[in-house]
mmCIF file of all heavy atoms in Angstrom:
data_model
loop_
_atom_site.group_PDB
_atom_site.id
_atom_site.type_symbol
_atom_site.label_atom_id
_atom_site.label_comp_id
_atom_site.label_asym_id
_atom_site.label_seq_id
_atom_site.Cartn_x
_atom_site.Cartn_y
_atom_site.Cartn_z
ATOM 1 N N TRP U 192 21.290 -8.757 -51.076
ATOM 2 C CA TRP U 192 22.115 -9.636 -51.691
ATOM 3 C C TRP U 192 21.394 -9.990 -53.025
ATOM 4 O O TRP U 192 20.323 -10.091 -53.196
ATOM 5 C CB TRP U 192 22.198 -10.993 -50.918
ATOM 6 C CG TRP U 192 22.986 -10.901 -49.735
ATOM 7 C CD1 TRP U 192 22.481 -10.652 -48.422
ATOM 8 C CD2 TRP U 192 24.354 -11.083 -49.549
ATOM 9 N NE1 TRP U 192 23.546 -10.571 -47.585
ATOM 10 C CE2 TRP U 192 24.663 -10.932 -48.271
ATOM 11 C CE3 TRP U 192 25.471 -11.386 -50.454
ATOM 12 C CZ2 TRP U 192 25.955 -10.999 -47.745
ATOM 13 C CZ3 TRP U 192 26.719 -11.374 -50.002
ATOM 14 C CH2 TRP U 192 27.008 -11.318 -48.582
ATOM 15 N N PRO U 193 22.254 -10.010 -54.041
ATOM 16 C CA PRO U 193 21.712 -10.442 -55.492
ATOM 17 C C PRO U 193 21.264 -11.860 -55.235
ATOM 18 O O PRO U 193 21.481 -12.469 -54.352
ATOM 19 C CB PRO U 193 22.879 -10.273 -56.326
ATOM 20 C CG PRO U 193 23.961 -9.725 -55.595
ATOM 21 C CD PRO U 193 23.570 -9.654 -54.192
ATOM 22 N N LEU U 194 20.580 -12.328 -56.445
ATOM 23 C CA LEU U 194 20.092 -13.623 -56.312
ATOM 24 C C LEU U 194 21.029 -14.735 -56.708
ATOM 25 O O LEU U 194 20.505 -15.773 -56.974
ATOM 26 C CB LEU U 194 18.941 -13.628 -57.367
ATOM 27 C CG LEU U 194 17.744 -12.734 -56.999
ATOM 28 C CD1 LEU U 194 16.624 -12.837 -58.207
ATOM 29 C CD2 LEU U 194 17.144 -13.184 -55.735
ATOM 30 N N ASP U 195 22.311 -14.423 -56.575
ATOM 31 C CA ASP U 195 23.376 -15.342 -56.771
ATOM 32 C C ASP U 195 23.426 -16.391 -55.599
ATOM 33 O O ASP U 195 23.560 -16.053 -54.386
ATOM 34 C CB ASP U 195 24.720 -14.662 -56.851
ATOM 35 C CG ASP U 195 25.749 -15.603 -57.186
ATOM 36 O OD1 ASP U 195 25.617 -16.763 -57.585
ATOM 37 O OD2 ASP U 195 26.960 -15.223 -57.036
ATOM 38 N N PRO U 196 23.021 -17.729 -55.977
ATOM 39 C CA PRO U 196 22.894 -18.616 -54.879
ATOM 40 C C PRO U 196 24.275 -19.024 -54.126
ATOM 41 O O PRO U 196 24.213 -19.422 -52.970
ATOM 42 C CB PRO U 196 22.459 -19.863 -55.613
ATOM 43 C CG PRO U 196 22.605 -19.736 -57.035
ATOM 44 C CD PRO U 196 22.663 -18.279 -57.166
ATOM 45 N N SER U 197 25.411 -18.736 -54.740
ATOM 46 C CA SER U 197 26.676 -19.095 -54.172
ATOM 47 C C SER U 197 26.931 -18.062 -53.023
ATOM 48 O O SER U 197 27.405 -18.476 -51.903
ATOM 49 C CB SER U 197 27.782 -19.035 -55.138
ATOM 50 O OG SER U 197 27.899 -17.830 -55.656
ATOM 51 N N ARG U 198 26.505 -16.843 -53.075
ATOM 52 C CA ARG U 198 26.722 -15.917 -52.024
ATOM 53 C C ARG U 198 25.874 -16.201 -50.825
ATOM 54 O O ARG U 198 26.287 -16.039 -49.730
ATOM 55 C CB ARG U 198 26.423 -14.522 -52.431
ATOM 56 C CG ARG U 198 27.565 -13.944 -53.430
ATOM 57 C CD ARG U 198 27.342 -12.465 -53.632
ATOM 58 N NE ARG U 198 28.348 -12.033 -54.439
ATOM 59 C CZ ARG U 198 28.445 -10.748 -54.845
ATOM 60 N NH1 ARG U 198 27.452 -9.834 -54.430
ATOM 61 N NH2 ARG U 198 29.483 -10.255 -55.503
ATOM 62 N N LYS U 199 24.642 -16.709 -51.043
ATOM 63 C CA LYS U 199 23.734 -17.041 -49.986
ATOM 64 C C LYS U 199 24.289 -18.266 -49.235
ATOM 65 O O LYS U 199 24.256 -18.268 -48.026
ATOM 66 C CB LYS U 199 22.337 -17.345 -50.458
ATOM 67 C CG LYS U 199 21.657 -15.987 -50.940
ATOM 68 C CD LYS U 199 20.252 -16.319 -51.374
ATOM 69 C CE LYS U 199 19.519 -15.066 -51.940
ATOM 70 N NZ LYS U 199 18.182 -15.267 -52.266
ATOM 71 N N GLU U 200 24.873 -19.184 -50.005
ATOM 72 C CA GLU U 200 25.423 -20.322 -49.443
ATOM 73 C C GLU U 200 26.624 -20.082 -48.539
ATOM 74 O O GLU U 200 26.808 -20.684 -47.567
ATOM 75 C CB GLU U 200 25.836 -21.339 -50.451
ATOM 76 C CG GLU U 200 24.436 -22.004 -51.074
ATOM 77 C CD GLU U 200 25.040 -22.999 -52.167
ATOM 78 O OE1 GLU U 200 26.050 -23.196 -52.394
ATOM 79 O OE2 GLU U 200 23.973 -23.440 -52.865
ATOM 80 N N VAL U 201 27.472 -19.186 -49.070
ATOM 81 C CA VAL U 201 28.674 -18.716 -48.277
ATOM 82 C C VAL U 201 28.288 -17.925 -46.966
ATOM 83 O O VAL U 201 28.833 -18.204 -45.961
ATOM 84 C CB VAL U 201 29.508 -17.790 -49.180
ATOM 85 C CG1 VAL U 201 30.562 -17.240 -48.363
ATOM 86 C CG2 VAL U 201 30.201 -18.691 -50.253
ATOM 87 N N LEU U 202 27.241 -17.195 -47.157
ATOM 88 C CA LEU U 202 26.819 -16.391 -46.010
ATOM 89 C C LEU U 202 26.082 -17.329 -44.969
ATOM 90 O O LEU U 202 26.436 -17.324 -43.671
ATOM 91 C CB LEU U 202 25.693 -15.394 -46.304
ATOM 92 C CG LEU U 202 25.031 -14.577 -45.193
ATOM 93 C CD1 LEU U 202 26.238 -13.814 -44.588
ATOM 94 C CD2 LEU U 202 23.948 -13.727 -45.617
ATOM 95 N N ARG U 203 25.305 -18.387 -45.384
ATOM 96 C CA ARG U 203 24.793 -19.337 -44.502
ATOM 97 C C ARG U 203 25.943 -20.213 -43.878
ATOM 98 O O ARG U 203 25.868 -20.456 -42.591
ATOM 99 C CB ARG U 203 23.824 -20.170 -45.334
ATOM 100 C CG ARG U 203 23.106 -21.222 -44.393
ATOM 101 C CD ARG U 203 22.162 -22.124 -45.154
ATOM 102 N NE ARG U 203 21.288 -21.449 -46.050
ATOM 103 C CZ ARG U 203 21.151 -21.685 -47.314
ATOM 104 N NH1 ARG U 203 21.658 -22.802 -47.958
ATOM 105 N NH2 ARG U 203 20.299 -21.016 -48.065
ATOM 106 N N PHE U 204 26.850 -20.589 -44.635
ATOM 107 C CA PHE U 204 28.065 -21.335 -44.053
ATOM 108 C C PHE U 204 28.791 -20.500 -42.970
ATOM 109 O O PHE U 204 29.301 -21.048 -41.964
ATOM 110 C CB PHE U 204 28.892 -21.783 -45.272
ATOM 111 C CG PHE U 204 30.114 -22.616 -44.625
ATOM 112 C CD1 PHE U 204 30.025 -23.850 -44.228
ATOM 113 C CD2 PHE U 204 31.370 -21.929 -44.610
ATOM 114 C CE1 PHE U 204 31.209 -24.596 -43.750
ATOM 115 C CE2 PHE U 204 32.604 -22.575 -44.231
ATOM 116 C CZ PHE U 204 32.449 -23.852 -43.783
ATOM 117 N N ALA U 205 28.974 -19.169 -43.317
ATOM 118 C CA ALA U 205 29.847 -18.317 -42.370
ATOM 119 C C ALA U 205 29.122 -18.123 -41.027
ATOM 120 O O ALA U 205 29.684 -18.243 -40.013
ATOM 121 C CB ALA U 205 30.086 -17.034 -43.051
ATOM 122 N N ILE U 206 27.800 -17.840 -41.240
ATOM 123 C CA ILE U 206 26.976 -17.665 -39.996
ATOM 124 C C ILE U 206 26.895 -18.956 -39.112
ATOM 125 O O ILE U 206 26.989 -18.910 -37.838
ATOM 126 C CB ILE U 206 25.587 -17.184 -40.265
ATOM 127 C CG1 ILE U 206 25.596 -15.852 -40.902
ATOM 128 C CG2 ILE U 206 24.612 -17.275 -39.113
ATOM 129 C CD1 ILE U 206 24.246 -15.272 -41.428
ATOM 130 N N SER U 207 26.833 -20.159 -39.863
ATOM 131 C CA SER U 207 26.728 -21.503 -39.005
ATOM 132 C C SER U 207 28.046 -21.617 -38.381
ATOM 133 O O SER U 207 28.133 -22.180 -37.221
ATOM 134 C CB SER U 207 26.404 -22.604 -40.083
ATOM 135 O OG SER U 207 25.193 -22.354 -40.813
ATOM 136 N N CYS U 208 29.162 -21.375 -39.007
ATOM 137 C CA CYS U 208 30.439 -21.717 -38.491
ATOM 138 C C CYS U 208 30.583 -20.709 -37.225
ATOM 139 O O CYS U 208 31.121 -21.187 -36.165
ATOM 140 C CB CYS U 208 31.561 -21.336 -39.387
ATOM 141 S SG CYS U 208 31.786 -22.738 -40.606
ATOM 142 N N ARG U 209 30.151 -19.463 -37.231
ATOM 143 C CA ARG U 209 30.286 -18.614 -36.103
ATOM 144 C C ARG U 209 29.467 -19.027 -35.046
ATOM 145 O O ARG U 209 29.904 -18.995 -33.804
ATOM 146 C CB ARG U 209 29.850 -17.179 -36.570
ATOM 147 C CG ARG U 209 30.138 -16.108 -35.635
ATOM 148 C CD ARG U 209 31.634 -16.001 -35.161
ATOM 149 N NE ARG U 209 31.799 -15.199 -33.933
ATOM 150 C CZ ARG U 209 32.773 -15.084 -33.198
ATOM 151 N NH1 ARG U 209 33.636 -15.999 -33.334
ATOM 152 N NH2 ARG U 209 32.925 -14.334 -32.279
ATOM 153 N N VAL U 210 28.308 -19.394 -35.342
ATOM 154 C CA VAL U 210 27.463 -19.928 -34.191
ATOM 155 C C VAL U 210 27.975 -21.175 -33.517
ATOM 156 O O VAL U 210 27.914 -21.270 -32.291
ATOM 157 C CB VAL U 210 26.010 -20.142 -34.668
ATOM 158 C CG1 VAL U 210 25.078 -20.859 -33.786
ATOM 159 C CG2 VAL U 210 25.353 -18.818 -35.173
ATOM 160 N N LEU U 211 28.424 -22.072 -34.311
ATOM 161 C CA LEU U 211 29.084 -23.375 -33.782
ATOM 162 C C LEU U 211 30.296 -22.896 -32.926
ATOM 163 O O LEU U 211 30.392 -23.520 -31.871
ATOM 164 C CB LEU U 211 29.494 -24.340 -34.967
ATOM 165 C CG LEU U 211 30.072 -25.557 -34.557
ATOM 166 C CD1 LEU U 211 29.057 -26.397 -33.660
ATOM 167 C CD2 LEU U 211 30.659 -26.303 -35.643
ATOM 168 N N THR U 212 31.071 -22.019 -33.271
ATOM 169 C CA THR U 212 32.184 -21.669 -32.562
ATOM 170 C C THR U 212 31.918 -21.016 -31.231
ATOM 171 O O THR U 212 32.399 -21.370 -30.164
ATOM 172 C CB THR U 212 33.091 -20.716 -33.369
ATOM 173 O OG1 THR U 212 33.491 -21.252 -34.632
ATOM 174 C CG2 THR U 212 34.288 -20.290 -32.693
ATOM 175 N N LEU U 213 30.897 -20.134 -31.307
ATOM 176 C CA LEU U 213 30.391 -19.659 -30.131
ATOM 177 C C LEU U 213 29.810 -20.518 -29.020
ATOM 178 O O LEU U 213 29.988 -20.583 -27.837
ATOM 179 C CB LEU U 213 29.415 -18.390 -30.322
ATOM 180 C CG LEU U 213 29.960 -17.137 -30.938
ATOM 181 C CD1 LEU U 213 28.731 -16.131 -31.286
ATOM 182 C CD2 LEU U 213 30.876 -16.552 -30.085
ATOM 183 N N VAL U 214 29.164 -21.589 -29.626
ATOM 184 C CA VAL U 214 28.463 -22.450 -28.817
ATOM 185 C C VAL U 214 29.600 -23.439 -28.170
ATOM 186 O O VAL U 214 29.620 -23.747 -26.916
ATOM 187 C CB VAL U 214 27.467 -23.361 -29.493
ATOM 188 C CG1 VAL U 214 27.032 -24.666 -28.788
ATOM 189 C CG2 VAL U 214 26.196 -22.558 -29.835
ATOM 190 N N LEU U 215 30.499 -23.734 -28.949
ATOM 191 C CA LEU U 215 31.646 -24.644 -28.316
ATOM 192 C C LEU U 215 32.438 -23.795 -27.325
ATOM 193 O O LEU U 215 32.887 -24.405 -26.352
ATOM 194 C CB LEU U 215 32.519 -25.145 -29.623
ATOM 195 C CG LEU U 215 31.918 -26.160 -30.474
ATOM 196 C CD1 LEU U 215 32.963 -26.560 -31.440
ATOM 197 C CD2 LEU U 215 31.645 -27.465 -29.750
ATOM 198 N N GLN U 216 32.627 -22.548 -27.523
ATOM 199 C CA GLN U 216 33.341 -21.855 -26.568
ATOM 200 C C GLN U 216 32.659 -21.759 -25.273
ATOM 201 O O GLN U 216 33.240 -21.865 -24.257
ATOM 202 C CB GLN U 216 33.587 -20.395 -27.003
ATOM 203 C CG GLN U 216 34.755 -20.375 -28.027
ATOM 204 C CD GLN U 216 35.027 -18.849 -28.514
ATOM 205 O OE1 GLN U 216 34.284 -17.998 -28.204
ATOM 206 N NE2 GLN U 216 36.146 -18.662 -29.142
ATOM 207 N N VAL U 217 31.351 -21.464 -25.329
ATOM 208 C CA VAL U 217 30.543 -21.383 -24.138
ATOM 209 C C VAL U 217 30.422 -22.709 -23.417
ATOM 210 O O VAL U 217 30.560 -22.845 -22.273
ATOM 211 C CB VAL U 217 29.080 -20.772 -24.425
ATOM 212 C CG1 VAL U 217 28.180 -20.934 -23.281
ATOM 213 C CG2 VAL U 217 29.198 -19.412 -25.003
ATOM 214 N N LEU U 218 30.283 -23.904 -24.160
ATOM 215 C CA LEU U 218 30.224 -25.117 -23.574
ATOM 216 C C LEU U 218 31.452 -25.540 -22.841
ATOM 217 O O LEU U 218 31.581 -26.031 -21.749
ATOM 218 C CB LEU U 218 29.869 -26.222 -24.711
ATOM 219 C CG LEU U 218 28.482 -26.222 -24.918
ATOM 220 C CD1 LEU U 218 28.283 -27.375 -26.135
ATOM 221 C CD2 LEU U 218 27.627 -26.726 -23.814
ATOM 222 N N THR U 219 32.723 -25.150 -23.331
ATOM 223 C CA THR U 219 33.869 -25.603 -22.844
ATOM 224 C C THR U 219 34.203 -24.642 -21.708
ATOM 225 O O THR U 219 34.706 -25.115 -20.717
ATOM 226 C CB THR U 219 35.091 -25.351 -23.817
ATOM 227 O OG1 THR U 219 35.057 -24.159 -24.462
ATOM 228 C CG2 THR U 219 35.122 -26.503 -24.933
ATOM 229 N N ARG U 220 33.826 -23.423 -21.577
ATOM 230 C CA ARG U 220 33.816 -22.547 -20.343
ATOM 231 C C ARG U 220 32.968 -23.098 -19.232
ATOM 232 O O ARG U 220 33.358 -23.172 -18.147
ATOM 233 C CB ARG U 220 33.458 -21.140 -20.687
ATOM 234 C CG ARG U 220 34.592 -20.385 -21.513
ATOM 235 C CD ARG U 220 34.201 -18.967 -21.630
ATOM 236 N NE ARG U 220 35.281 -18.306 -22.437
ATOM 237 C CZ ARG U 220 35.158 -17.183 -22.839
ATOM 238 N NH1 ARG U 220 34.088 -16.476 -22.673
ATOM 239 N NH2 ARG U 220 36.126 -16.592 -23.515
ATOM 240 N N PHE U 221 31.873 -23.568 -19.666
ATOM 241 C CA PHE U 221 30.917 -24.060 -18.632
ATOM 242 C C PHE U 221 31.508 -25.354 -18.067
ATOM 243 O O PHE U 221 31.481 -25.652 -16.848
ATOM 244 C CB PHE U 221 29.517 -24.292 -19.073
ATOM 245 C CG PHE U 221 28.646 -23.115 -19.188
ATOM 246 C CD1 PHE U 221 27.695 -22.955 -20.176
ATOM 247 C CD2 PHE U 221 28.798 -22.043 -18.159
ATOM 248 C CE1 PHE U 221 27.008 -21.769 -20.175
ATOM 249 C CE2 PHE U 221 28.007 -20.936 -18.352
ATOM 250 C CZ PHE U 221 27.099 -20.772 -19.246
ATOM 251 N N LEU U 222 31.946 -26.274 -18.800
ATOM 252 C CA LEU U 222 32.550 -27.567 -18.445
ATOM 253 C C LEU U 222 33.848 -27.233 -17.522
ATOM 254 O O LEU U 222 34.002 -27.950 -16.618
ATOM 255 C CB LEU U 222 32.838 -28.502 -19.498
ATOM 256 C CG LEU U 222 31.596 -29.064 -20.287
ATOM 257 C CD1 LEU U 222 32.086 -29.886 -21.424
ATOM 258 C CD2 LEU U 222 30.927 -29.948 -19.149
#
């Protein structure tokens, strides 16, 4: 990645959203 901070923030946000989605799916399946 180039040193553009906006791309890093977008990547960090996308990864966080995906992890949160997976955690919520697993939790609702367990419950």
Side-chain angles (χ1 to χ4, degrees):
W192 290 91
L194 296 176
D195 185 14
S197 64
R198 286 189 179 183
K199 289 181 181 180
E200 290 174 6
V201 169
L202 178 65
R203 186 179 311 131
F204 178 73
I206 290 173
S207 299
C208 286
R209 184 62 185 156
V210 168
L211 180 65
T212 303
L213 290 175
V214 167
L215 287 176
Q216 284 183 348
V217 170
L218 282 177
T219 54
R220 283 188 185 167
F221 281 146
L222 286 176

